Structure formats: structure tokens, C-alpha cells
Amino acid sequence: KTTMKADITIMPGDGVGPEITREAVKVLQAIGSVFDHDFSLNEVLFGGIAIDATGTPYPEKTQQSCKNSDAVLLGAVGGPKWSDPNMKIRPEKEGLLEMRADLGIYANIRPIKTYQELIDNSPIKNRYLENIDMVFVRELTGGIYFGEKKKTDAFASDICEYSKVEIERITRVAANIAQGRRKKITSVDKANVMATSQLWRSTTTELIEKEYSELELEHIFIDAATMHLLSRPADFDVILTDNLFGDILTDEAAMLTGSIGMLPSACLGEDSFGVYEPIHGSAPDIANQGIANPCGAILSVAMLLQYSLSLEEEAQVIEQSVAGVIEESILTKDLTGSGYVSTEEMGTAVTKKILQT
């Protein structure tokens, strides 16, 4: 076995962040020992905790660590202490948005998978939830979130802007992922109304025809997409969206899985560097109680191994270990009515499975 050497920055963040990150790091270290890799971990401050210590959510030392590493594992940021909209500096805006822009990570990847054992948890009828396995690819640094904003007492405007280059690069990310899956991309837009969506549609069509002719590309309006996501979710493979629509659809899709605590995500840039984090927030209401579900963070480690370090087998071992633990009804509080395990016990159970491979 060849030993992989990798520098990984760990940013536990706020709320349940440190608790779930601790378990994810245990899993990462277990993979390192089983497969003989040398993972060098550097823990730094990010988010609200960094504001308290340094006055900024994304301090210089954290920036440098991110830029010198192969990948970043992030817990969660924010909490009531820093959530006053009138505060000049907030963990989300000056932290997350600034970090994404600074590190050039423009592609958000969110896999949505259902576990047979958990489908009773979803408010959606069971028969719709069989065999769901989709990946969202959301553009992260353009669109209405980053456009110019104006507001008076009587008027407000948000500019939504996309360039052809931005649409092309996110489409390539979706296409490369689709090639390793069922070879189907569903691109979501509102081309009957929006100029940016019209450019989005023509650009994606042109690029796929020219560079990825073996892939099937379908276009769907956002309103139809929200409907089909609930009525026939198993039909989707790779879903390509802009920033705003992606934000809405990924949260809707999270409801299919029975718990937002199970879902990982990746934010990628031009090269193999990425920032990996569970999609849930900092959940301050359950922080320090040992009941948070670490699986989203653990599965984010699997994505880190897959996308940044090209360690496919190792990533699969983590996914299989999580699935195995769930199969054995080792469940955190969000996944079961009674008889649940703690955050730490869940992390330990997954780690044990990995060490047995």
C-alpha cells in the first residue's frame, strides 16, 4: 500500500461543531491507521469562537492554515450569541461567505441517500423513498447572493448575475460526477422568466453536447423540480443548480432522508482542494448534551478522502461502516424515538467497524 501524506485543517467551530468534529477526526485517524496513511491535522479557530478570541470569524492564522492544507474539515458555525442582524461581524457572512470567496470554492456538492432503516423518520410516504441516491451540484459564489443590493424604506432590489464562464465551470463539475454515476444531469432553472436562467440553459446545453455527449441532460423549471423531488425522488441522479435554487432544493431534499444529521457536503474549487462539512447548522439548543448526530460530519470525511485525496476505497469503507452501524440499530436521538446512543458512542461504533476492515 502506498502511504498518502496529507495536511488537513480542522475547524470545529461553534455549537455542536466541536462534538461532531471530534468523532469525525476519530474516523479519519482510524482510516489512517488501517490504510497506513499519514494525516497531519491542524486545528484552528473559525466562526463565533474565533470572533470571541480574535475579533474576526476567519482570522489570519486560519486563512494561512487553509491555504497550506490539502483539505479542510469544518464543524458548524454560529449561534444566538452572534446572530443579531445588527452586529457588524457575523460568523456566517464574514466567516463562511468570505472563506468561500477567499479559497475560490465555487461548487457545493451534496449527496442525498436514504437508508432503508430510517425511512420511517421521513414525513414522506415510504414508497417514494426507496432507492434514493442523488447528488446536488450547486454554484456557490455567484447569483443573487453576491449581486448588488439596494434598499430604502419604499424600495429594494437584488441583482442576480451569472457569467458564461461561471456556468461552464459548475457544469463541468456536475458532468464529471455524472460520468461516474448513472450519466444523467437534471439542470434546474427558471428560463421562462429569468435572463440568467436563459443563459444558464443555453450554456449547459452547449457544453454537455460539445464535451460530454455521452451524458443525458434534462432541463427542468425550479417549480417543477420542487414537486418532482417529493413525488419521484428516485428518478434523479445529478442535479445542477444555481446558488439560490440550490439552497432551497437541498434543504427540501434533506427531508427525504429522515434526518438532516446524516448529510455531508463538499465545497470544491479548481483543483482537488475542498472544504467539507455536514449540512446541518450549529444546533445551539442541543450543544454540549452529547446527543448530536456525528454521521453528517463522518460522511463529510468520506467525501474529503474521495474528492481531495482520491482515496476511493477508504471513502467507501467509511460509508459502509456508517450504513452497517445504522443497520444494527445503533442510532442517535434524531434517528429514533427511544434507546439512542450518544454522539461519542456513535463515533466509536463507526470507528470500530473501520478498524475491523
Side-chain angles (χ1 to χ4, degrees):
K1 284 176 190 166
T2 45
T3 301
M4 155 86 63
K5 268 188 152 58
D7 293 309
I8 299 166
T9 294
I10 310 287
M11 308 197 293
D14 311 313
V16 296
E19 300 166 67
I20 54 161
T21 304
R22 200 174 301 128
E23 304 315 309
V25 165
K26 267 188 349 201
V27 163
L28 188 58
Q29 287 165 333
I31 288 288
S33 72
V34 170
F35 290 90
D36 203 27
H37 297 310
D38 179 11
F39 298 136
S40 156
L41 310 180
N42 183 31
E43 190 173 309
V44 293
L45 296 176
F46 182 69
I49 189 172
I51 294 177
D52 290 353
T54 69
T56 167
Y58 183 45
E60 182 66 33
K61 196 175 156 192
T62 299
Q63 292 178 33
Q64 282 317 314
S65 181
C66 290
K67 285 173 181 166
N68 295 334
S69 60
D70 299 295
V72 175
L73 181 65
L74 169 61
V77 297
K81 184 174 176 185
W82 310 282
S83 64
D84 178 359
N86 298 319
M87 273 180 77
K88 279 207 166 43
I89 297 177
R90 294 172 65 195
E92 296 83 0
K93 191 165 180 292
E94 282 74 18
L96 284 176
L97 294 186
E98 207 156 296
M99 175 194 67
R100 287 169 187 164
D102 182 45
L103 300 175
I105 47 178
Y106 60 84
N108 180 232
I109 312 219
R110 291 189 180 184
I112 305 276
K113 246 187 176 143
T114 43
Y115 295 83
Q116 195 56 43
E117 296 77 17
L118 302 179
I119 60 176
D120 285 341
N121 293 6
S122 174
I124 312 295
K125 282 191 178 133
N126 283 10
R127 63 193 159 96
Y128 294 119
L129 302 174
E130 306 285 337
N131 309 317
I132 292 177
D133 180 3
M134 65 182 97
V135 176
F136 279 90
V137 179
R138 166 189 168 195
E139 202 288 325
L140 208 54
T141 54
I144 205 157
Y145 291 2
F146 287 86
E148 190 195 338
K149 305 188 180 323
K150 289 181 183 159
K151 185 172 176 291
T152 68
D153 288 343
F155 171 85
S157 76
D158 294 275
I159 305 286
C160 182
E161 293 177 308
Y162 269 112
S163 68
K164 194 166 176 151
V165 171
E166 285 175 307
I167 301 168
E168 282 176 342
R169 67 181 188 177
I170 193 72
T171 303
R172 281 195 186 94
V173 173
N176 291 333
I177 290 172
Q179 279 181 319
R181 291 173 54 90
R182 305 198 301 274
K183 298 196 165 17
K184 179 182 171 187
I185 298 177
T186 303
S187 177
V188 178
D189 62 39
K190 191 67 177 154
N192 53 341
V193 179
M194 296 170 67
T196 43
S197 280
Q198 287 157 12
L199 180 67
W200 186 279
R201 188 172 285 215
S202 61
T203 304
T204 50
T205 304
E206 191 185 321
L207 184 105
I208 298 295
E209 278 173 7
K210 204 163 82 191
E211 295 180 25
Y212 301 92
S213 55
E214 74 281 13
L215 298 180
E216 178 195 341
L217 171 67
E218 69 166 346
H219 297 286
I220 188 170
F221 292 145
I222 175 66
D223 33 358
T226 55
M227 204 163 57
H228 294 322
L229 201 52
L230 299 183
S231 61
R232 49 177 185 91
D235 291 355
F236 291 106
D237 183 18
V238 175
I239 302 177
L240 170 64
T241 79
D242 75 355
N243 208 340
L244 174 66
F245 297 155
D247 196 357
I248 295 164
L249 284 176
T250 48
D251 279 3
E252 183 191 9
M255 290 308 293
L256 300 168
T257 63
S259 173
I260 202 165
M262 292 300 299
L263 301 176
S265 77
C267 297
L268 308 177
E270 283 303 346
D271 50 12
S272 59
F273 174 83
V275 175
Y276 301 84
E277 59 180 308
I279 78 165
H280 61 71
S282 61
D285 53 321
I286 60 163
N288 305 316
Q289 293 174 38
I291 56 172
N293 183 350
C295 289
I298 289 169
L299 291 166
S300 296
V301 170
M303 291 188 82
L304 182 156
L305 296 174
Q306 182 187 354
Y307 288 103
S308 283
L309 306 182
S310 299
L311 299 173
E312 294 286 341
E313 188 191 344
E314 289 83 334
Q316 276 177 354
V317 165
I318 295 180
E319 286 172 15
Q320 286 157 1
S321 300
V322 169
V325 163
I326 300 246
E327 226 166 89
E328 289 168 20
S329 294
I330 298 171
L331 306 171
T332 44
K333 190 176 182 183
D334 55 314
L335 305 178
T336 175
S338 60
Y340 54 85
V341 301
S342 70
T343 308
E344 190 184 349
E345 286 165 337
M346 183 59 126
T348 301
V350 176
T351 304
K352 225 155 102 182
K353 277 233 181 298
I354 291 168
L355 295 173
Q356 286 161 4
T357 43

PDB file of all heavy atoms in Angstrom, residues 101-117:
ATOM      1  N   ALA A 101     -15.091  32.728  -0.814  1.00  0.00           N
ATOM      2  CA  ALA A 101     -14.531  33.627  -1.827  1.00  0.00           C
ATOM      3  C   ALA A 101     -13.001  33.593  -1.783  1.00  0.00           C
ATOM      4  O   ALA A 101     -12.332  33.505  -2.815  1.00  0.00           O
ATOM      5  CB  ALA A 101     -15.052  35.044  -1.603  1.00  0.00           C
ATOM      6  N   ASP A 102     -12.452  33.632  -0.575  1.00  0.00           N
ATOM      7  CA  ASP A 102     -11.002  33.660  -0.384  1.00  0.00           C
ATOM      8  C   ASP A 102     -10.322  32.399  -0.921  1.00  0.00           C
ATOM      9  O   ASP A 102      -9.254  32.441  -1.520  1.00  0.00           O
ATOM     10  CB  ASP A 102     -10.694  33.839   1.116  1.00  0.00           C
ATOM     11  CG  ASP A 102      -9.205  33.941   1.411  1.00  0.00           C
ATOM     12  OD1 ASP A 102      -8.512  34.682   0.674  1.00  0.00           O
ATOM     13  OD2 ASP A 102      -8.732  33.297   2.362  1.00  0.00           O
ATOM     14  N   LEU A 103     -10.970  31.244  -0.700  1.00  0.00           N
ATOM     15  CA  LEU A 103     -10.364  29.974  -1.113  1.00  0.00           C
ATOM     16  C   LEU A 103     -10.796  29.552  -2.521  1.00  0.00           C
ATOM     17  O   LEU A 103     -10.359  28.529  -3.032  1.00  0.00           O
ATOM     18  CB  LEU A 103     -10.733  28.865  -0.108  1.00  0.00           C
ATOM     19  CG  LEU A 103     -10.275  29.098   1.346  1.00  0.00           C
ATOM     20  CD1 LEU A 103     -10.801  27.995   2.254  1.00  0.00           C
ATOM     21  CD2 LEU A 103      -8.755  29.179   1.445  1.00  0.00           C
ATOM     22  N   GLY A 104     -11.674  30.358  -3.135  1.00  0.00           N
ATOM     23  CA  GLY A 104     -12.098  30.070  -4.510  1.00  0.00           C
ATOM     24  C   GLY A 104     -12.904  28.791  -4.645  1.00  0.00           C
ATOM     25  O   GLY A 104     -12.807  28.086  -5.650  1.00  0.00           O
ATOM     26  N   ILE A 105     -13.709  28.471  -3.629  1.00  0.00           N
ATOM     27  CA  ILE A 105     -14.523  27.248  -3.717  1.00  0.00           C
ATOM     28  C   ILE A 105     -15.926  27.612  -4.196  1.00  0.00           C
ATOM     29  O   ILE A 105     -16.672  28.281  -3.513  1.00  0.00           O
ATOM     30  CB  ILE A 105     -14.541  26.467  -2.388  1.00  0.00           C
ATOM     31  CG1 ILE A 105     -14.798  27.381  -1.186  1.00  0.00           C
ATOM     32  CG2 ILE A 105     -13.212  25.748  -2.180  1.00  0.00           C
ATOM     33  CD1 ILE A 105     -14.865  26.664   0.145  1.00  0.00           C
ATOM     34  N   TYR A 106     -16.240  27.170  -5.412  1.00  0.00           N
ATOM     35  CA  TYR A 106     -17.465  27.628  -6.081  1.00  0.00           C
ATOM     36  C   TYR A 106     -18.485  26.505  -6.312  1.00  0.00           C
ATOM     37  O   TYR A 106     -19.576  26.747  -6.788  1.00  0.00           O
ATOM     38  CB  TYR A 106     -17.117  28.279  -7.421  1.00  0.00           C
ATOM     39  CG  TYR A 106     -16.404  27.335  -8.362  1.00  0.00           C
ATOM     40  CD1 TYR A 106     -17.109  26.441  -9.162  1.00  0.00           C
ATOM     41  CD2 TYR A 106     -15.006  27.328  -8.431  1.00  0.00           C
ATOM     42  CE1 TYR A 106     -16.456  25.570 -10.003  1.00  0.00           C
ATOM     43  CE2 TYR A 106     -14.351  26.454  -9.284  1.00  0.00           C
ATOM     44  CZ  TYR A 106     -15.081  25.573 -10.062  1.00  0.00           C
ATOM     45  OH  TYR A 106     -14.431  24.696 -10.888  1.00  0.00           O
ATOM     46  N   ALA A 107     -18.113  25.256  -5.987  1.00  0.00           N
ATOM     47  CA  ALA A 107     -19.029  24.140  -6.254  1.00  0.00           C
ATOM     48  C   ALA A 107     -19.407  23.445  -4.955  1.00  0.00           C
ATOM     49  O   ALA A 107     -18.551  22.925  -4.253  1.00  0.00           O
ATOM     50  CB  ALA A 107     -18.362  23.141  -7.196  1.00  0.00           C
ATOM     51  N   ASN A 108     -20.692  23.462  -4.634  1.00  0.00           N
ATOM     52  CA  ASN A 108     -21.178  22.782  -3.430  1.00  0.00           C
ATOM     53  C   ASN A 108     -21.787  21.440  -3.843  1.00  0.00           C
ATOM     54  O   ASN A 108     -22.668  21.384  -4.687  1.00  0.00           O
ATOM     55  CB  ASN A 108     -22.222  23.662  -2.740  1.00  0.00           C
ATOM     56  CG  ASN A 108     -22.786  23.022  -1.483  1.00  0.00           C
ATOM     57  OD1 ASN A 108     -23.988  22.924  -1.326  1.00  0.00           O
ATOM     58  ND2 ASN A 108     -21.932  22.583  -0.592  1.00  0.00           N
ATOM     59  N   ILE A 109     -21.266  20.369  -3.262  1.00  0.00           N
ATOM     60  CA  ILE A 109     -21.720  19.016  -3.616  1.00  0.00           C
ATOM     61  C   ILE A 109     -22.421  18.384  -2.426  1.00  0.00           C
ATOM     62  O   ILE A 109     -21.830  18.282  -1.356  1.00  0.00           O
ATOM     63  CB  ILE A 109     -20.507  18.162  -4.007  1.00  0.00           C
ATOM     64  CG1 ILE A 109     -19.690  18.964  -4.973  1.00  0.00           C
ATOM     65  CG2 ILE A 109     -20.928  16.793  -4.534  1.00  0.00           C
ATOM     66  CD1 ILE A 109     -19.066  18.346  -6.072  1.00  0.00           C
ATOM     67  N   ARG A 110     -23.672  17.985  -2.628  1.00  0.00           N
ATOM     68  CA  ARG A 110     -24.433  17.367  -1.537  1.00  0.00           C
ATOM     69  C   ARG A 110     -25.088  16.074  -1.992  1.00  0.00           C
ATOM     70  O   ARG A 110     -26.057  16.102  -2.743  1.00  0.00           O
ATOM     71  CB  ARG A 110     -25.530  18.312  -1.049  1.00  0.00           C
ATOM     72  CG  ARG A 110     -25.020  19.524  -0.337  1.00  0.00           C
ATOM     73  CD  ARG A 110     -26.177  20.276   0.305  1.00  0.00           C
ATOM     74  NE  ARG A 110     -25.721  21.456   1.005  1.00  0.00           N
ATOM     75  CZ  ARG A 110     -26.507  22.242   1.721  1.00  0.00           C
ATOM     76  NH1 ARG A 110     -27.785  21.959   1.837  1.00  0.00           N
ATOM     77  NH2 ARG A 110     -26.028  23.310   2.339  1.00  0.00           N
ATOM     78  N   PRO A 111     -24.573  14.942  -1.548  1.00  0.00           N
ATOM     79  CA  PRO A 111     -25.235  13.680  -1.866  1.00  0.00           C
ATOM     80  C   PRO A 111     -26.435  13.458  -0.941  1.00  0.00           C
ATOM     81  O   PRO A 111     -26.369  13.774   0.237  1.00  0.00           O
ATOM     82  CB  PRO A 111     -24.148  12.627  -1.594  1.00  0.00           C
ATOM     83  CG  PRO A 111     -23.097  13.311  -0.794  1.00  0.00           C
ATOM     84  CD  PRO A 111     -23.349  14.778  -0.770  1.00  0.00           C
ATOM     85  N   ILE A 112     -27.519  12.958  -1.491  1.00  0.00           N
ATOM     86  CA  ILE A 112     -28.712  12.654  -0.697  1.00  0.00           C
ATOM     87  C   ILE A 112     -29.027  11.178  -0.907  1.00  0.00           C
ATOM     88  O   ILE A 112     -29.319  10.748  -2.021  1.00  0.00           O
ATOM     89  CB  ILE A 112     -29.931  13.495  -1.158  1.00  0.00           C
ATOM     90  CG1 ILE A 112     -29.609  14.993  -1.128  1.00  0.00           C
ATOM     91  CG2 ILE A 112     -31.172  13.156  -0.339  1.00  0.00           C
ATOM     92  CD1 ILE A 112     -29.758  15.685   0.183  1.00  0.00           C
ATOM     93  N   LYS A 113     -28.927  10.413   0.162  1.00  0.00           N
ATOM     94  CA  LYS A 113     -29.141   8.960   0.092  1.00  0.00           C
ATOM     95  C   LYS A 113     -30.100   8.564   1.205  1.00  0.00           C
ATOM     96  O   LYS A 113     -30.018   9.095   2.296  1.00  0.00           O
ATOM     97  CB  LYS A 113     -27.799   8.274   0.379  1.00  0.00           C
ATOM     98  CG  LYS A 113     -27.218   7.515  -0.789  1.00  0.00           C
ATOM     99  CD  LYS A 113     -25.994   6.770  -0.293  1.00  0.00           C
ATOM    100  CE  LYS A 113     -25.412   5.921  -1.389  1.00  0.00           C
ATOM    101  NZ  LYS A 113     -23.983   5.884  -1.381  1.00  0.00           N
ATOM    102  N   THR A 114     -30.987   7.625   0.919  1.00  0.00           N
ATOM    103  CA  THR A 114     -31.844   7.154   2.019  1.00  0.00           C
ATOM    104  C   THR A 114     -31.346   5.804   2.521  1.00  0.00           C
ATOM    105  O   THR A 114     -30.856   4.984   1.755  1.00  0.00           O
ATOM    106  CB  THR A 114     -33.317   7.009   1.583  1.00  0.00           C
ATOM    107  OG1 THR A 114     -33.358   6.398   0.297  1.00  0.00           O
ATOM    108  CG2 THR A 114     -34.008   8.345   1.528  1.00  0.00           C
ATOM    109  N   TYR A 115     -31.472   5.619   3.821  1.00  0.00           N
ATOM    110  CA  TYR A 115     -31.167   4.337   4.452  1.00  0.00           C
ATOM    111  C   TYR A 115     -32.492   3.649   4.744  1.00  0.00           C
ATOM    112  O   TYR A 115     -33.384   4.255   5.347  1.00  0.00           O
ATOM    113  CB  TYR A 115     -30.393   4.561   5.763  1.00  0.00           C
ATOM    114  CG  TYR A 115     -29.036   5.183   5.566  1.00  0.00           C
ATOM    115  CD1 TYR A 115     -28.898   6.571   5.435  1.00  0.00           C
ATOM    116  CD2 TYR A 115     -27.885   4.393   5.493  1.00  0.00           C
ATOM    117  CE1 TYR A 115     -27.644   7.143   5.239  1.00  0.00           C
ATOM    118  CE2 TYR A 115     -26.632   4.961   5.301  1.00  0.00           C
ATOM    119  CZ  TYR A 115     -26.513   6.336   5.174  1.00  0.00           C
ATOM    120  OH  TYR A 115     -25.281   6.901   4.969  1.00  0.00           O
ATOM    121  N   GLN A 116     -32.599   2.405   4.314  1.00  0.00           N
ATOM    122  CA  GLN A 116     -33.832   1.629   4.496  1.00  0.00           C
ATOM    123  C   GLN A 116     -34.336   1.720   5.941  1.00  0.00           C
ATOM    124  O   GLN A 116     -35.525   1.872   6.195  1.00  0.00           O
ATOM    125  CB  GLN A 116     -33.555   0.170   4.105  1.00  0.00           C
ATOM    126  CG  GLN A 116     -34.802  -0.682   3.886  1.00  0.00           C
ATOM    127  CD  GLN A 116     -35.765  -0.109   2.850  1.00  0.00           C
ATOM    128  OE1 GLN A 116     -35.353   0.361   1.795  1.00  0.00           O
ATOM    129  NE2 GLN A 116     -37.051  -0.123   3.147  1.00  0.00           N
ATOM    130  N   GLU A 117     -33.400   1.657   6.901  1.00  0.00           N
ATOM    131  CA  GLU A 117     -33.773   1.623   8.324  1.00  0.00           C
ATOM    132  C   GLU A 117     -34.346   2.956   8.815  1.00  0.00           C
ATOM    133  O   GLU A 117     -34.946   3.023   9.875  1.00  0.00           O
ATOM    134  CB  GLU A 117     -32.552   1.287   9.191  1.00  0.00           C
ATOM    135  CG  GLU A 117     -31.967  -0.090   8.951  1.00  0.00           C
ATOM    136  CD  GLU A 117     -31.129  -0.181   7.672  1.00  0.00           C
ATOM    137  OE1 GLU A 117     -30.724   0.860   7.113  1.00  0.00           O
ATOM    138  OE2 GLU A 117     -30.883  -1.301   7.230  1.00  0.00           O
TER     139      GLU A 117
END
